[in-house]
Amino acid sequence: MRDIKNKLISMFRNGYCTPQIARIAKKIKEPSTTIHYNIKKLEKEQVIKAYKAVFDYKKIDLGYCVYVLCQISPDEYADPERIAKDLVKHDNIESVDICTGDWELILKIRAKDQDEYYQFIKSVISRKGIIKIITVSSLKQLKTEFIPT
Amino acid sequence: MRDIKNKLISMFRNGYCTPQIARIAKKIKEPSTTIHYNIKKLEKEQVIKAYKAVFDYKKIDLGYCVYVLCQISPDEYADPERIAKDLVKHDNIESVDICTGDWELILKIRAKDQDEYYQFIKSVISRKGIIKIITVSSLKQLKTEFIPT
DNA sequence: TTGATTACTGAATATTATTCTAATAAATGG
DNA sequence: CCATTTATTAGAATAATATTCAGTAATCAA
């Protein structure tokens, strides 16, 4: 037991996957070299950003999921991206959007449980020019990343 | 030009990818058969739900992205999943969450532009026991599906 | 129409996944 | 604690798959 499982999970969260050319070729009845050519093109044009796995997050200790709606302080209005960019690098954050309306920032955050989430909020979301947050926590996820659960 | 591109995109949105066992094996310095064994185990236990691609959505006509916060009508409280389950099957919907608080339902929706989004809302979100919605539209996406953009 | 670029494809090769078998290691029940 | 079962690890052989290359066809722009 060398904990290969957790290494795999963290690798699959944002890469280490690849298209199944032969299977696609069979499915749409085209030569596999043609499929290969077209996929490489999409990759070169950066239409495809990554190949990754989607998990049953309850089973990998990321079952607690919340949406965080943020208002940022007026002195950050000129450049909301400064705050946002800093958030991007955290593994617990699934998505970061700069938005219109009452909330300038919407985050989707995953953690093991409420405790871990609370620790995360304290250390990451506080300070940083965020003046008000509303947490909407997910009771049940029926679809994530386009994958029904 | 047989429009292989769009077929690939729709296939990659929720599958037709696979792990790169050899590359992982090299990376973490374990035999590839061991990696294979561990991956198959994760798949069997349904820890991994799918292998898929993540796109630059602006480049595949899904650049318009909004979060829709919904209040459902009191007579649906007993079973909010009835509404939610119906939404899951639509391709424009990236995620569906049943939540606590003021909004019982949070959707993340992708469309080509505001027009296409409006058509979608009219045909799908209206009726169905949803009494109030707030649309928060994303001006800039810095991270999606754990992938920085 | 012509030349240039882009898209497609078969054949050959390189790489990778998978199966099978056996050996260890870990967990379990008395 | 030991015996027994079950889970995990790997090597060798094979099957399947991706990739390269070279040539052809289609598209496009002038």
Side-chain angles (χ1 to χ4, degrees):
Chain A
M1 263 276 260
R2 257 154 298 168
D3 204 22
I4 290 167
K5 177 180 168 183
N6 284 308
K7 283 181 188 167
L8 289 176
I9 289 169
S10 74
M11 294 175 97
F12 284 150
R13 272 178 71 171
N14 41 33
Y16 287 94
C17 298
T18 194
Q20 290 182 293
I21 295 177
R23 200 171 138 231
I24 294 166
K26 228 165 271 167
K27 178 77 175 178
I28 67 177
K29 296 187 178 69
E30 299 284 354
S32 72
T33 46
T34 302
I35 302 303
H36 183 269
Y37 171 85
N38 279 274
I39 290 175
K40 289 306 148 190
K41 189 160 173 275
L42 288 173
E43 291 172 1
K44 204 164 297 162
E45 292 166 347
Q46 302 197 63
V47 173
I48 293 171
K49 300 211 65 97
Y51 302 102
K52 56 157 282 179
V54 177
F55 299 94
D56 183 336
Y57 290 98
K58 290 186 300 298
K59 292 180 180 166
I60 61 167
D61 281 351
L62 290 174
Y64 188 75
C65 174
V66 310
Y67 290 91
V68 181
L69 315 177
C70 307
Q71 280 177 22
I72 61 176
S73 90
D75 29 304
E76 298 283 352
Y77 281 0
D79 185 19
E81 288 183 48
R82 204 189 56 77
I83 297 176
K85 271 180 186 156
D86 188 56
L87 295 167
V88 164
K89 57 173 183 278
H90 291 276
D91 276 354
N92 288 81
I93 301 187
E94 178 176 326
S95 66
V96 178
D97 286 87
I98 295 170
C99 296
T100 57
D102 293 338
W103 298 281
E104 287 87 19
L105 219 50
I106 295 191
L107 314 176
K108 187 174 182 181
I109 299 179
R110 289 188 181 276
K112 186 184 175 192
D113 50 35
Q114 206 164 9
D115 280 0
E116 198 188 283
Y117 169 70
Y118 178 58
Q119 294 304 321
F120 182 76
I121 286 290
K122 275 201 302 185
S123 65
V124 175
I125 308 295
S126 318
R127 51 200 139 153
K128 286 192 205 291
I130 295 171
I131 55 172
K132 190 185 170 194
I133 71 169
I134 293 179
T135 292
V136 184
S137 75
S138 175
L139 297 170
K140 194 171 174 70
Q141 302 157 46
L142 289 105
K143 195 179 192 182
T144 332
E145 298 159 82
F146 293 105
I147 307 293
T149 51
Chain B
M1 263 278 261
R2 258 154 299 163
D3 204 22
I4 290 166
K5 177 181 168 180
N6 285 306
K7 282 181 188 167
L8 289 176
I9 289 169
S10 74
M11 293 175 98
F12 285 150
R13 273 177 71 171
N14 41 34
Y16 288 93
C17 298
T18 194
Q20 290 181 293
I21 295 177
R23 200 171 138 230
I24 294 166
K26 228 164 272 169
K27 178 77 175 178
I28 67 176
K29 296 187 178 67
E30 299 284 354
S32 72
T33 48
T34 301
I35 301 303
H36 183 270
Y37 170 85
N38 279 275
I39 290 174
K40 290 305 148 191
K41 190 160 172 275
L42 288 173
E43 291 171 4
K44 203 164 298 160
E45 291 166 347
Q46 302 197 66
V47 173
I48 293 171
K49 299 210 67 96
Y51 301 102
K52 55 156 283 180
V54 177
F55 298 95
D56 183 336
Y57 290 98
K58 290 185 300 298
K59 293 180 180 166
I60 61 166
D61 282 351
L62 290 174
Y64 188 75
C65 175
V66 310
Y67 290 90
V68 181
L69 316 176
C70 307
Q71 279 178 21
I72 62 176
S73 89
D75 28 305
E76 297 284 352
Y77 282 180
D79 185 17
E81 288 183 49
R82 204 189 56 78
I83 297 177
K85 270 179 185 156
D86 188 56
L87 294 166
V88 164
K89 57 173 180 278
H90 291 278
D91 277 354
N92 288 80
I93 301 188
E94 178 175 326
S95 65
V96 178
D97 286 87
I98 295 170
C99 296
T100 57
D102 294 337
W103 298 281
E104 287 87 20
L105 217 52
I106 294 191
L107 313 176
K108 186 174 183 181
I109 299 180
R110 289 187 181 275
K112 185 184 174 192
D113 50 35
Q114 206 164 9
D115 279 0
E116 198 187 284
Y117 169 70
Y118 177 58
Q119 294 305 320
F120 183 77
I121 286 291
K122 276 201 302 186
S123 66
V124 176
I125 308 296
S126 319
R127 49 200 142 148
K128 285 192 205 290
I130 295 172
I131 54 171
K132 189 184 170 194
I133 70 169
I134 293 180
T135 291
V136 184
S137 75
S138 174
L139 298 169
K140 194 169 172 70
Q141 301 158 46
L142 289 103
K143 195 179 192 182
T144 331
E145 297 160 81
F146 293 106
I147 307 294
T149 51

